[in-house]
């Protein structure tokens, strides 16, 4: 066709040149930030033993046990904030770090405790290591592990789970989020930026007056919150003192002035509410560090709608003449690096070997709508886009919230950032996010001030505790169905068996057997979730985080016990594309066209298509596939998606938090692990290969372009989930000029008008990725979109690298 | 029910007019341009493509063929003279190494497909592009299709080479909002030499559009082929001719690239393979662009 004529027919693209072009985009605003960025990016990640030592030392004191758990936790937090070291990075403008320095990551032995072997794996593994030495390991073995063994949350969880649950977990039907990291999954709202700790303490005192005096538990909750509030003030004061010390020896006049200013700021916030742009950033950051020191919540913590929260400070400072755009950008870039200095806490056990990223999933939202429904894009939204474009670090992640009212210009600038191809920023439909939140019963204001955190998770920012409990392997459920309740990998019976296997009358009969099996496993997962919710409520309150999520103080109830205004619990469904294509293939090839007998197919699957390549090719090529706007395939995806939502949502509210139950459609990197436990599938996928990710079609099976993918995924009712993830890979020459970029923008607009939730783009060629696999050194800076985050390509495990290469590279819409 | 013969529908096309479009490729053409890059659009009858690299040599196609037109000789060989393009081989081929270009479509089914992308036409200012082959070869069907699109308020572009009697062209032109108009060679003899037909209608129809004041709705598409269309004389002629017309402003240069592979897959002789033909260089494209720009045109590369 005509477009054939315009490809770079007579020009070879030099891959090294392309890499250089990408690197040229990294251009922090000035030398200071450039240096800070280099220090931060190049610093290797290490274990910091300090937190583990401090918390162990604290709990070893005998008198601790006389306090109720909430007070114990508060005193532990106090002990930490009074004793952790206070690193100040040379030339930084914001202080406070979790751990003892840049990328020195603490551990949380009370949740899950590393032993000598875990640390060795972390130190020596090829990808994403956490460096530690012999002495650290000895210390952990002697002091830390010996104390926490049999006391950790992780052990409590595994010891409380039923045999059904353990079998399903081992078979890879689902994973468990809370076995190494604690509930969190939340973002700050306006409360953080408008209140100082003194204000919060007043609220606590007020709440104390209003509770039933006999309610000991509530009294203790409030007491514990107050202890934490005061501990954080102490932490900031300690920093102010430390800066004064540094000042004594500082020679540089300019830096001296800066340090003086920083010292003043630390004396002001977070005790009192911030007044200036700089104070607001420092204020937030202290709170952020507090939350991630108290525990290791999932997705770290998020500043939420940063452009909205900071705008009043920005505006006032600009009007006063105390801030200009350049200074604001410098501060934002310094702030940006604080996130990148805090990699995800390391895992233990087998997951330590498999864990795939340093990314801790902090997400900054920009754009979207205001509380009153008007367009919220402001100058800071643009400024943050510029910062993202210039910094290009693994963290923080961003989200461009798009509504019908979002100006074209803003989207065009965002797409310009996408173009050099590091996967950021992703695009979200704010109109749809609001509808999702309204469907869940949030007020219109609480819906509009919401956004997305983690990967694609919708939440009412600052007001909701929305907990992800684990990934759920849909294709594995089909495999168990086809094997009459057996897991062919282990030979164990884990599902429901029928008396007469392989006698499915018609497709409907098979489909219903699958749904029955789905129901069975979701039930097991949910039962486990309830037990785990109780374990956290009883053992791991988070009084400091509770200060910042409305209405924990007012309710005198911890975040982990249902104190937040809204409570939600999620299961993340994985492999929708693979399970759809597999069911469609059985429907089409066995029941409709009668190309193959059912048992014949089962046999071919169990032998991984050995000597059955022709059959596999028919499954791959002559069978309708989800993702091509073909109703005969897409309708099955819709009914599975609906059914998942229905089964999960039908459960009563959770016992402690009274949370409603919902589904997500996001995979992070688990589709690789889930694929590894799944035998060959009827869509033609070979045994052990990755599953499809998010709600994306199976890799390489979307053959009709991005537009058709959009049409397919929009048949799903996205409102029935809390967020869905769609990855699309674009060929670099597809959006090389203004006109094609505008067309992509219009395509996204159409996609969002059809009520989609999210889309993100990798602009990268398979050739470049292959080259990077061979010549790692030259491609150290090559960042790609993985799932709801970006990461350095060469740091990804091989399986994931291959999966990304296999995704369809759209050369056209 | 009206039926048309097409060889492809490209949804979400971005190079065939403004915005995001659905492009319908009609089968059959009344020109035989030596460089044609859509050879499957030349004949109205079906074509069979064979992609050797996808073939797993299972031999199913050989047994399926009712005409005994296929043999396996390390790969599938098609005796194109025997082949009736019935598609029996395509049906059984597990890897899609055999595919068929050409199918009959009903107007209503085509409209259903077109309407599926309506939301994208609206966000992008796109619509439908009727292309080919030569779409006007299917005069009645194309007229009805364009009418139906109008009823649905969908923008319609016609991608034509303009070789049709002016009387007929006049009858159909009112149904289109935009013309992607191929202009190849101005000299009549040269035109006959390379396309097999005179360019008299091509010129007259373009003049008619211009006279009716619709020059602004014409995008000239110029296939740039060194030594054939891209010659000093032809460029001069083009500029001269187009400058005399009213309000034609946009010129799209389509730089030639080799498509011999595609002819091989179709089992068609590629006339240019005997001629020393090459793609234009970047410098030549730039030079060409400058010339047209200087003459007052808006010049676009590709599309």
């Amino acid at each position: 066709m005509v477009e054939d004529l315009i490809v770079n027919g007579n020009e070879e693209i030099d891959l090294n040149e392309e890499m250089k072009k990408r690197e040229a985009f990294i251009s922090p605003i000035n030398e200071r930030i450039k240096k800070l960025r280099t220090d931060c990016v190049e610093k290797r990640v290490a274990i910091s033993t300090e937190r583990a030592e401090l918390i162990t030392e604290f709990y070893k004191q005998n008198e601790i046990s006389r306090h109720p758990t909430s007070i114990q936790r508060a005193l532990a937090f106090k002990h930490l904030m009074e004793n952790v070291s206070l690193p100040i990075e040379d030339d930084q403008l914001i202080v406070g770090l979790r751990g003892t320095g840049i990328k020195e990551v603490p551990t949380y032995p009370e949740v899950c405790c590393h032993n000598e072997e875990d640390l060795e794996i972390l130190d020596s593994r090829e990808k994403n290591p956490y460096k530690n030495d012999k002495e650290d390991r000895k210390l952990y073995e002697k002091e830390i592990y010996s104390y926490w063994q049999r006391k950790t949350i992780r052990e409590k969880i595994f010891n409380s789970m039923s045999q059904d649950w353990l079998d399903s977990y081992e078979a890879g039907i689902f994973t468990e989020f809370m076995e190494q990291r604690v509930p969190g999954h939340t973002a700050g709202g306006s409360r953080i930026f408008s209140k100082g700790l003194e204000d919060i303490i007043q609220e606590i005192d007020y709440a104390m007056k209003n509770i039933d005096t006999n309610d000991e538990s509530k009294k203790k909750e409030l007491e514990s919150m107050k202890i934490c509030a005061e501990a954080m003030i102490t932490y900031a004061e300690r920093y102010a003192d430390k800066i004064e010390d540094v000042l004594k020896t500082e020679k540089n006049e300019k830096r001296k002035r800066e340090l003086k200013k920083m010292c003043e700021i630390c004396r002001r916030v977070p005790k009192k509410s911030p007044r200036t742009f700089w104070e607001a950033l420092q204020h937030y950051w202290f709170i952020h560090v507090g939350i991630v020191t108290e525990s290791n919540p999932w997705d770290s913590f998020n500043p939420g709608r940063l452009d909205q929260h900071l705008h009043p400070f920005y505006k006032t400072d600009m009007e006063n003449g105390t801030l200009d755009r350049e200074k604001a950008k410098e501060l934002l870039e310094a702030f940006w690096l604080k996130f990148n200095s805090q990699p995800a806490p390391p895992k233990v056990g087998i997951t330590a070997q498999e864990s795939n990223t340093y990314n801790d999933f902090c997400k900054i939202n920009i754009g979207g709508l205001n509380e009153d429904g008007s367009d919220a894009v402001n100058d800071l939204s643009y400024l943050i886009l510029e910062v993202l474009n210039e910094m290009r670090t693994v963290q923080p992640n961003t989200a461009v919230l798009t509504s019908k009212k979002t100006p074209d210009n803003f989207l065009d600038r965002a797409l310009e950032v996408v173009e050099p191809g590091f996967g950021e920023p992703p695009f979200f439909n704010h109109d749809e996010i609001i509808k999702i939140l309204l469907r869940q019963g949030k007020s219109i204001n609480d819906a509009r001030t919401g956004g997305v955190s983690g990967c694609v998770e919708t939440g009412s920012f600052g007001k909701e505790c929305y907990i992800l409990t684990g990934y759920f392997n849909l294709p594995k459920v089909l495999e168990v169905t086809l094997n009459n309740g057996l897991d062919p990998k282990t030979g164990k019976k884990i599902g429901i068996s029928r008396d007469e296997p392989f006698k499915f009358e018609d497709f409907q009969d098979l489909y219903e057997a699958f749904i029955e099996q789905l129901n069975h496993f979701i039930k097991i997962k949910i039962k486990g979730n309830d037990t785990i919710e109780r374990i956290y409520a009883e053992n791991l309150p988070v009084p400091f985080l509770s200060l910042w999520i409305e209405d924990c103080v007012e309710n005198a109830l911890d975040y982990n016990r249902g104190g937040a205004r809204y409570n939600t619990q999620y299961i993340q469904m994985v492999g929708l594309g693979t399970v759809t294509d597999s069911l469609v293939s059985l429907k089409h090839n066995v029941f409709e066209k009668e190309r193959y007998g059912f048992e014949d197919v089962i046999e071919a699957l169990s032998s991984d298509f050995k000597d059955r390549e022709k059959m596999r090719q028919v499954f791959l090529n002559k069978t309708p596939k989800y993702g091509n706007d073909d109703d005969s395939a897409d309708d099955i995806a819709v009914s599975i998606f609906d059914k998942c939502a229905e089964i999960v949502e039908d459960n009563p509210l959770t016992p402690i938090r009274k949370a409603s139950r919902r589904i997500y459609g996001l995979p992070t990197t688990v589709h690789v692990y889930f694929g590894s436990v799944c035998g060959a599938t009827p869509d033609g996928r070979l045994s052990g290969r990755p599953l499809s990710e998010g709600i994306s079609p199976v890799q390489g099976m979307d053959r009709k372009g991005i537009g058709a993918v959009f049409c397919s995924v929009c048949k799903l009712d996205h409102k029935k989930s809390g967020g869905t993830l769609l990855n699309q890979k674009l060929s670099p020459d597809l959006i090389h000029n203004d006109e094609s970029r505008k067309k992509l923008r219009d395509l996204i607009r159409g996609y969002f008008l059809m009520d989609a939730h999210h889309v993100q783009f990798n602009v990268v060629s398979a050739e470049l990725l292959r080259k990077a696999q061979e010549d790692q050194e030259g491609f150290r800076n090559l960042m790609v979109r993985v799932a709801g985050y970006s990461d350095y390509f060469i740091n990804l495990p091989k399986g994931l690298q291959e999966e990304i290469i296999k995704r369809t590279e759209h050369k056209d819409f | 029910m009206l039926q048309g013969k097409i060889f492809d529908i490209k949804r979400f096309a971005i190079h065939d007019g403004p915005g995001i479009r659905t492009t319908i490729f009609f089968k059959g053409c009344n020109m035989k341009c030596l460089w044609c890059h859509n050879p499957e659009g030349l004949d109205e009858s079906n074509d069979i493509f064979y992609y050797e690299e996808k073939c797993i040599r299972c031999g199913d196609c050989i047994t399926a063929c009712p005409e005994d037109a296929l043999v396996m000789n390390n790969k599938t060989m098609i005796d194109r003279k025997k082949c009736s393009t019935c598609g029996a081989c395509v049906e059984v081929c597990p890897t899609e190494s055999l595919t068929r270009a050409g199918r009959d479509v009903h107007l209503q089914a085509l409209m259903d497909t077109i309407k599926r992308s309506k939301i994208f036409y609206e966000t992008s200012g796109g619509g439908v592009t009727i292309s080919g082959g030569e779409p006007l070869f299917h005069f009645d069907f194309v007229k009805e299709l364009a009418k139906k699109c109008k009823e649905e308020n969908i923008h319609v572009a016609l991608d034509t080479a303009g070789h049709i009697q002016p009387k007929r062209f006049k009858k159909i032109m009112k149904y289109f909002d935009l013309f992607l108009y191929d202009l190849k060679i101005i000299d009549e003899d040269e035109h006959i030499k390379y396309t097999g037909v005179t360019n008299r209608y091509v010129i007259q129809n373009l003049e008619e559009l211009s006279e009716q004041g619709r020059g602004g709705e014409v995008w000239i598409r110029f296939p740039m082929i060194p030594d054939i269309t891209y010659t000093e004389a032809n460029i001069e002629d083009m500029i001269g001719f187009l400058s005399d017309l009213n309000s034609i402003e946009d010129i799209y240069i389509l730089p030639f690239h080799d498509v011999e592979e595609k002819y091989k897959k179709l089992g068609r002789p590629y006339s240019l393979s005997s001629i020393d033909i090459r793609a234009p260089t970047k410098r030549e494209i730039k030079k060409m662009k400058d010339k047209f720009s200087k003459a007052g045109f808006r010049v676009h590369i590709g599309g």
Side-chain angles (χ1 to χ4, degrees), chain A residues 610-753:
Chain A
K610 191 167 178 280
D611 302 324
R612 301 308 298 271
E613 184 57 17
K614 208 161 78 186
M615 179 197 273
R616 194 173 90 86
Q617 290 298 332
V618 168
F619 290 173
L620 287 173
N621 299 305
K622 305 294 258 198
T623 306
K625 299 282 179 183
Y626 166 67
N628 297 287
D629 196 14
D630 175 350
D631 292 343
S632 67
D634 299 343
D635 286 354
I636 304 267
V638 172
S639 65
I640 297 170
F641 187 81
D642 281 351
K643 205 72 206 175
C644 286
E646 188 191 310
I647 295 173
V648 171
E649 291 187 355
D650 265 357
N651 284 279
L653 300 180
T654 63
I656 311 280
R657 288 194 301 118
K658 307 296 173 207
S660 62
R661 327 246 189 187
R662 313 277 174 192
I663 60 163
Y664 277 126
L666 66 99
T668 316
T669 60
V670 84
H671 55 295
V672 178
Y673 160 67
F674 274 176
S676 75
V677 298
C678 262
T681 37
D683 61 337
R685 178 189 142 279
L686 291 171
S687 174
R689 299 287 166 86
L691 308 178
S692 62
E693 38 76 32
I695 54 159
S696 310
V698 171
Q699 298 80 352
M701 290 300 132
D702 42 341
R703 293 159 170 161
K704 296 267 165 79
I706 314 163
V709 173
F710 282 180
C711 289
S712 281
V713 303
C714 282
K715 291 171 196 170
L716 307 173
D717 189 351
H718 295 246
K719 272 172 282 302
K720 290 181 182 159
S721 81
T724 53
L725 183 137
L726 178 68
N727 259 312
Q728 290 290 282
K729 195 165 80 181
L730 309 184
S731 173
D733 47 7
L734 184 57
I735 52 166
H736 60 297
N737 61 28
D738 284 353
E739 209 192 319
S740 50
R741 212 180 301 116
K742 281 200 175 87
K743 288 192 181 181
L744 182 59
R745 179 243 289 155
D746 296 337
L747 195 73
I748 297 170
R749 288 256 194 222
Y751 175 58
F752 284 168
L753 278 177

Side-chain angles (χ1 to χ4, degrees), chain A residues 1-7 9-11 593 595 613-615 617-622 628-631 703-711 715 734 736 739-740 743-751 753-754 811-813, chain B residues 7-8 10-20 25 37-38 40 56 58 60 90-96 98 116-117 119-120 123-125 131 159 221 253-257 262 279-282 285 300-303:
Chain A
M1 282 113 269
V2 176
E3 55 271 23
D4 284 350
L5 274 173
I6 60 148
V7 294
N10 51 351
E11 277 164 79
K593 291 226 157 189
R595 282 185 174 131
E613 184 57 17
K614 208 161 78 186
M615 179 197 273
Q617 290 298 332
V618 168
F619 290 173
L620 287 173
N621 299 305
K622 305 294 258 198
N628 297 287
D629 196 14
D630 175 350
D631 292 343
R703 293 159 170 161
K704 296 267 165 79
I706 314 163
V709 173
F710 282 180
C711 289
K715 291 171 196 170
L734 184 57
H736 60 297
E739 209 192 319
S740 50
K743 288 192 181 181
L744 182 59
R745 179 243 289 155
D746 296 337
L747 195 73
I748 297 170
R749 288 256 194 222
Y751 175 58
L753 278 177
M754 295 193 295
K811 294 185 193 296
D812 216 326
F813 290 176
Chain B
F7 68 86
D8 202 8
K10 166 80 186 117
R11 294 178 64 195
F12 316 103
I14 53 170
H15 300 297
D16 302 329
I20 297 162
F25 294 90
H37 59 271
N38 280 341
E40 72 273 41
I56 55 168
C58 66
D60 282 10
V90 173
E91 180 59 29
V92 297
C93 176
T95 61
E96 295 199 313
L98 287 160
R116 273 180 176 246
S117 308
I119 211 162
F120 297 104
T123 58
S124 70
S131 181
D159 181 8
R221 306 237 268 189
I253 298 172
L254 314 178
F256 169 81
H257 72 126
K262 209 168 178 185
T281 63
K282 241 184 167 178
I285 295 170
H300 316 258
I301 310 294

Side-chain angles (χ1 to χ4, degrees), chain A residues 115-166:
Chain A
N115 61 23
E116 204 175 344
E117 193 191 342
D118 294 323
L119 290 178
E120 253 179 55
I121 294 173
L122 287 169
D123 182 64
S124 60
R125 72 182 184 197
E126 192 198 336
K127 312 251 171 180
N128 303 324
Y130 288 75
K131 288 293 160 193
N132 58 81
D133 58 27
K134 240 188 182 148
E135 247 166 71
D136 298 335
R137 290 194 281 273
K138 222 161 66 199
L139 173 90
Y140 266 78
E141 200 60 27
K142 245 181 90 192
E143 305 290 335
I144 318 280
Y145 189 71
S146 59
Y147 177 78
W148 288 104
Q149 207 180 355
R150 283 186 294 276
K151 295 192 187 77
T152 66
I153 295 281
R154 183 165 200 255
E155 288 156 296
K156 283 197 176 84
I157 289 177
F158 283 115
N159 291 337
S160 318
M161 292 298 111
S162 67
Q163 196 55 45
D164 278 356
W165 191 98
L166 291 168

